[in-house]
Each structure stands twice: as C-alpha cells, then as structure tokens.
Amino acid sequence: GTLLNVSVSDHDGSDSLLLSWDEPEGDAKGYLLALSSLERVPPACEHLARSGTRRPAADSACAMSDAGPAAVRNLSLSSGGSSASLRAAWAHGHGRRDGYRLALWHSDSQTLVRNESLLPSASTFLFDGLLAGSEYALKVSTLAGSSQASTSIHQWTAPSIPTQLRLSLGSSTSLVASWAGAAGAAWLHLELRNLLTQKVSTTLSARRGLTSYTFQHLHPGTQYWLGLSATAGSSTVVGPNATAWTYPLGPGNVTLSSAEEQNSLQARWSIPGGHRDFYLVTLREGEDSIPTRNISVGGDNDHVTFHGLSPGQQYSVQVVAVAGPYRASAHSTAAWTEPRAPSGVSLSSQGSPHSLLASWEEATGEGYLLALSLAEHPVKNSSLLRGVTSFTYEGLHPGTLYTFEVSTVAGPYTSSPRCISNWTYPLPPEQLTLSNGGHSTSLQASWRAASSGSTGYTGTLWETKSQEQVRNVTVGSDWTNVTLENLVPGRQYTLEMAAMAGPYRSPVRSATDWTYPLAPAGVTLTNTRRPMGLSAFWDTAAGDVDQFHLQLYSKSHAAQRNTSVGPNTHNFTFLGLSPGTQYFLKVTVLAGPYRSSSHFATEWTYPLSLANVSVQPGRKPQELHVSWVESGGGRDHLVQLSVAESLSIIRNVSVPRGVTQLDLEGLVPGSRYRVEIISQAGPHRISSQTAIGYTVPLPPRSLSASPVSMARALAVHWETAPGHSDGYLLSVLEEGSSAPPRTLEAGKDSTNVTVPQLEPGTCYLVGIWAVAGPYRSLPENISSCTVPAAPTNLSLTNPGSSSDLYTSWNKPPGGRDHYRITLYSLSTQSRIQVQTLGPDALNCSWTHLEAGSEFAVQVTAVKGSLEASSINITQWT
C-alpha cells in the first residue's frame, strides 16, 4: 500500500497521542496503523481494523494510553442523511471517568461551533442547526479529576439539493446552465447528454460557489438533457434535471421556379449542418406575401412542388427548419405563374362621341397590354399596371367603329389577347334651351343642329319634381324648335333631347324651365285687435307654387316685414305691429326663378286709446284746457265735449296725430263737462277714458253789505252772474284783526245772506266767491260796518253850582269812532252845546250855563255814518 505522511502530537497534555494524516490519491479501502513504544508496543494498538467502506476526505485518529482516564471507544459521528445535524455516539472506555466534554469545530472556518459537557453515563449527543454539506471535527474528552483522555473524529453534514436548475438557449451550438440554492454542497456534478444519440456530451465537477456554466461546441437543432447532483464528503444527492434545444441552422440557397406542369412552382434549398425535426415550407402569394400553402417535409428533404396555383400570380416561398420550439427560416426570390387573358372585356362610349371606355375584369398579373385599331390600322398601344381595369380613349371620331385588344402581363409571360369592337356615339344637339316666354301654360324648346350626321331628334318632357313623363317628341333633322302646349302654370319641366344616328342615340342634352306662375287672387288683410296684428288671407293659386312671399310695409315706417310661407299655406298673421298704422300687403307667388304678385291689400291696425286725459279750467271762465299723453298710432283724434248731466255731445273737435292738448272756448262758466277723446285709424276708432272738468264760475255781481239796525249783523246782497255755480262761499273778516275770517256757504239760488253775531260798531271785509266743483270764481269784496251800541247808564248831575252840570255814562260793547254829546235847553227849546269826545271817553262837564234852568243831555256813539244814541236825561242848574 501507499505510505502515509503521518503526524503525531501530544493530546492536551494527557497520556494520549493524536495521529493524523492526509488522504492519499486514488482509491483506499482502509488504513493499517501500528504504534510502538520505545520500550514496548501495547497490544491494544498493534492493529487498526480495516473498514469496509471508503471514507474520502476523512481523517482517522487513534488514541492510546495505559494510565489515567481512558478515551471513549468506537466514537462515531454521522449525519443520518440530515443536512443540518450530526449525531455523535461512543462506547465508554475502561478507565475512571467523571464526565465528558464535547467540542465541535467547523473545519473550513476553524470555528468552535459547540462546546458541551455531559454526564459520565452519556453515550450519544445530537448536534443540530448545522450548515448543510459542511465538514465538522468533533473532539470527545473523558474527564477524570484533573486528567482527560480525548478522541477526535471528522464528518460531513448531508448536502442540500440545488434548486431552480435552468438550461436555456445560448446559440445554435451552445446552451447555458444556471442554478440556485447550491450553497449546501461541496461539489456539484453536471452531466449533459445528447437525447438524439443518448450519449454523454460533457461532464463537469464544480466546487461550491459556481452558479452557471455554458456548454460549447454542441450540435445545432438538438435536444439535450442536463442532470445535476450534489456531493459533500461521502454523501451524494441527486438534484433536478432540465432539457433544452440548440437553435437549428436555417436552409440555404432557397429558390422558387416553374415546374413542368402548368400553374405549378417548385421550391429547392440546400440542407444545412446539424439536426432538425422537419422543414415547414410556406408558399406566400402576392406583394403582401399572404400565406396560401403550408407543407411539412422531413428534415432530410431539399425540395417541394406546389400544384394548382393561380395563373399570373407572384409567389415566394419561406423554408423554416424546426427543431423543438425553435425555428430558422430562409426566403426565396419571387416567381410568377403564366397569366390568362382578362375576361369581361367591354368597349363603351359612355355617352361621349369622342371617346371610348375600355374595361375588363381584373386578371392576376403585373399589368396589361392594350391596343386600339380602326379598320385594322393601329390607333394607339398602351401598357397599364395591375389594378387598373379600364382605359379611356380620347379624341376619337364620332360614330366610328373601333376594335380593342387586351392581354395580361405577369413577369416574363404575356397571355393571348381578348378582342371586342364598338361604335362611338353621335354628337348631341347643341345650345338646347327651354323658356316660357311669359306664358303660364306653354314652353318653347330650341336648339342648334348637331355638326355631325344625324337622322333626327327625339325628346322627352318630364315634370322635374315628380319625374313623371309628360310627353315624347320626335322631329326631323331640319327642325330646330318646338312648342309644348297645355302645361300647368308655375310648374318646372325638364326636356331631354338626343340626336339619332343609326342604331345609337347621342348623349342626352337637357334644359329646364318653369311655366310662368299665376298671381294669387283674393288677397285680403284683416285686423286682429288682441294681440295687435294683421291677418293676411289669399286664395289657393291655380298651378304650382314653390312658396308665397309676403311683403308688409307702412308709409309711416321705414322698416318693412318680409316673410315666406309654404305652398300649402293660405293665411299668415303679422304680430307686433305698430298701433293705428295703415299697412299695405303684397303677396307674391314664387315658382322657380319667376314671380307673380297680387294687387296691394291695405288695412289699419287698431289705434291705442289715449292715456292720462286731463281736463282743467282754461285761462277764462268760458274755457277748458284738455291734455293727454299720445299712445302711438292713429291718424287723428276726435275730442268730444258733453254737458255732464245730459251726456249730450255739444262739441266735436278733430285734432291731428301728435297734438296733445286743446283749449275749448265759449263755454258756460261754472259748468260741469265730460270730455272723451276718440283715436281714429282708418275705419277703426277707440275711446279714451272719460274725464270730468269744470269751467271756473263768474263772480257774483252788485255785492252790497248793510248793517241790520240793532241786530249786530250785516245783511249781504248780490246778484247772480251769468252761467252756473254749485253755490257761494262768503268770508267775513274783521278789519285790522289777525283772527281767522268767518266763512259761510249759500246755495246756488241764494242772492242774500245775513251775517249775525258780529261786534257792534265794527267794520268788516266781506268777500264772496261763486263755487263750481273744486273751483272758485274770482272774489268780490266789500267793506261794511255794524251799527255801534248806544251808551248806557247815562247820568246828568249838578255838582252844586248854578252854572255847571256833569254828565257820565257806561262804555257800550263794540267799537265806535267817537262820542257826540248834545246838551239841550228845555227853557228855550234849543240845542245850546255839542261836544265830540274820543271813543274811550266816559264823562264830560258843562259850564257857563244859565242858572235855574232845566237842561236835557243825549250821548250818541258814532261809527262812520252809523249812530246809536242813549235816552235823554234832564237836570236843573
């Protein structure tokens, strides 16, 4: 066997030695160790038993002692297939023991993972929470007092299975393998197998850390299988597997050419290297390369033939090499099948005398060759691209027979031609016109003869709107006009005419016109009061009408109203018109471009009644002033005046529109009048509200006021003035007084009144007015005084003198201008003395009288011309 490089070291200062060695190259089924003392060899270590299985990457150790605690025997450390735990087991040694200490090291990192102390009876221990696919070293020490004996062992946790294995396409000769979750394996073993040959293509062993690998130099278009296993120590776990295809190589030199059979094409290509499942051959049609045929052939084929293709069609082919899910394709150049001549060939004039339209049904191909000939002499040759199915020949002779040929071109091929012949049309009549000449029931057609030959003219008259045929007209070639009678007024007609030449008729010329419409009859205009408007009516027109046009205007307004209504309408109401205005209406019938109008109809709108009519007295008692607010409209106004009591109209005054006031003269003063204003607009009249007014009465005449004797009153007299009044109003004001005057009323038939309870001897200002309604006449005034009151308690006394007398009295009520005292001598029967004293005097003295004589005295209160005297008193001197 192979010699090992063995090292021996003291084992923790105990009575044991640690032996270790490296694993040799190649296969080793076990190890034979012998330990000898310099003095003696203990029989117990003379031989190490061989193990039945190989433990690569594991070290062995043997500990020997002949004193102190004995090391455990049969130490083992196993994963039991677990990737996260190791179980240690041992047999007790023969020596004394107090317990065990277990130290577990991670070999790669040289890190102490666990340090456990156990009872002396323990013989197993489970280390969990370990790393998968990792090598661990366990040292088990037997403790006895201060001595210990140790034994070591190495072992791997089971590897974990890698996940997410993928085998993906790299190219036609490479595949990329990738995986994840391989940290729990010391080594990965990959095997790539060709599934077509079932041979292993590549094997690979990779250390921990590698996550992908690219397999090169593979066969194109081939499916491969990849297997993966994980190894840690002596444990190997089979992982996932994956399959993938390499990309196939595309075919080369793809061609498409005609086959021997008609309407057939053959596709050819060169076979590429590698492998493929089959070829998918697609035939594409036209410029848009629309797929029309799909054929699958074996991977060893190099051609395919397509039969029954469309004539004159362009084709190309696509050859696809298919391997598993992958495809590689190549295309050919275009090729054509032989075309066929077009079908449905026609040659028509389309109504034109100088052109022919050639048309045909679309034939597959690149284009067409055209030829037009006249009596076997070529006229024109043309080439057209595909898609065009007609061609117009211009500048031809009218009424001539031409021959047309057409062939289909497709690539290098041209079909046999198709032929057809036809005539050009004769020229139609020129300058065709149709006019009514102002007539309502006839139309005249005229034209200029065609410049080419013709045998005559034919025409059809139609009602344009209904498209009903009215009549046919056929005339000789020397005719240039014709009159069509018995037509409907206002109707549009269309005449179609053509020139005839042999069996053909020229293109139709048409002309249209309306017969002249009849004017509407029975046009009336009627007033509608509410709302303000006018309604127009007219009779149904004879013949056709497109519409009625209504024109309403007034001479007093610049704006006019225009409206149009349908042919079945025979009335219309204009609203929002000006009141009291004369309007004129004209109804016009429209038929095509022609118009026919009615006579004018006229009518007035109703005027509006005047507002705010006021009646006030005029400047004179015989006048009234009437005013109002103009409401608009109307021709003039009629002011009607009536006596209020009798309602009989006594005066009519017409005033023009725009005047808003009027003075009425020559009326009776003091009278009550009624005024009504009538607005007139044509035949229409409307009244305003009635207004009541009074003329101012004349003042009373011959006013007089005289005192009533001893009655403290004034008697007032007057004469009635001309006219009327409702009564009289009197005012009595004491002259010089600030007190308000006394007022009295008297009836309209009174001519006098007595004013009582006045102050005696007082002057008063008396005023009088005649009253009519709320109005008074000018006042008449007069001044007059009442009779003064006579003095009372008059006394005449002798003061004891033979020549003097003394007179006194009491002051009477009221006023006076002065007192006049008169002394009479009864002896001589004469007035001997008179004294005048002021209004406030109450006594006076008489002197130088005759002694022993009898005298009499009288005191008189004087107010103007009025006097009031006391009684006479006598006395002796």
Side-chain angles (χ1 to χ4, degrees), residues 200-246:
V200 175
S201 298
T202 306
T203 60
L204 174 70
S205 293
R207 290 187 64 84
R208 191 195 323 264
L210 186 68
T211 59
S212 66
Y213 183 78
T214 300
F215 296 94
Q216 303 283 358
H217 311 299
L218 305 180
H219 292 286
T222 303
Q223 186 179 21
Y224 286 87
W225 177 91
L226 176 66
L228 181 145
S229 62
T231 300
S234 61
S235 299
T236 298
V237 179
V238 177
N241 59 73
T243 60
W245 294 76
T246 52

Side-chain angles (χ1 to χ4, degrees), residues 378-460:
V379 175
K380 187 175 184 180
N381 294 327
S382 305
S383 295
L384 297 179
L385 294 176
R386 182 184 60 194
V388 179
T389 58
S390 65
F391 186 80
T392 301
Y393 291 95
E394 304 285 352
L396 305 182
H397 299 291
T400 303
L401 181 64
Y402 287 89
T403 300
F404 170 70
E405 295 181 356
V406 59
S407 302
T408 306
V409 177
Y413 308 110
T414 301
S415 73
S416 58
R418 291 283 173 87
C419 300
I420 193 171
S421 298
N422 205 358
W423 296 79
T424 52
Y425 269 65
L427 290 175
E430 298 177 359
Q431 299 179 7
L432 176 65
T433 61
L434 190 64
S435 100
N436 58 39
H439 299 286
S440 298
T441 58
S442 65
L443 293 171
Q444 185 178 56
S446 62
W447 61 92
R448 195 178 76 181
S451 58
S452 64
S454 67
T455 57
Y457 300 96
T458 180
T460 303

Side-chain angles (χ1 to χ4, degrees), residues 706-724:
S706 57
V708 178
S709 178
M710 306 303 290
R712 301 175 64 180
L714 288 175
V716 182
H717 297 268
W718 65 88
E719 293 181 2
T720 302
H724 301 285

Side-chain angles (χ1 to χ4, degrees), residues 689-741:
Q689 291 185 343
T690 301
I692 301 296
Y694 291 83
T695 51
V696 176
L698 292 174
R701 298 178 178 179
S702 304
L703 177 63
S704 66
S706 57
V708 178
S709 178
M710 306 303 290
R712 301 175 64 180
L714 288 175
V716 182
H717 297 268
W718 65 88
E719 293 181 2
T720 302
H724 301 285
S725 68
D726 295 338
Y728 298 95
L729 179 66
L730 287 87
S731 170
V732 181
L733 175 64
E734 181 179 344
E735 290 183 354
S737 172
S738 61

Side-chain angles (χ1 to χ4, degrees), residues 90-178:
W90 61 89
H92 301 300
H94 298 290
R96 183 173 63 88
R97 61 184 182 278
D98 295 334
Y100 297 104
R101 183 170 67 244
L102 282 68
L104 186 68
W105 299 78
H106 185 265
S107 298
D108 286 346
S109 63
Q110 293 297 308
T111 304
L112 178 64
V113 177
R114 302 283 287 276
N115 192 7
E116 302 289 342
S117 296
L118 303 179
L119 295 175
S121 60
S123 61
T124 64
F125 189 80
L126 178 66
F127 295 96
D128 55 5
L130 306 181
L131 299 177
S134 295
E135 185 184 21
Y136 289 89
L138 174 64
K139 182 174 75 171
V140 179
S141 299
T142 305
L143 306 177
S146 61
S147 300
Q148 62 180 16
S150 300
T151 302
S152 296
I153 191 171
H154 289 231
Q155 187 55 275
W156 295 78
T157 52
S160 61
I161 300 174
T163 60
Q164 301 178 17
L165 176 64
R166 294 181 59 192
L167 187 60
S168 56
L169 176 68
S171 66
S172 59
T173 59
S174 65
L175 292 173
V176 178
S178 62

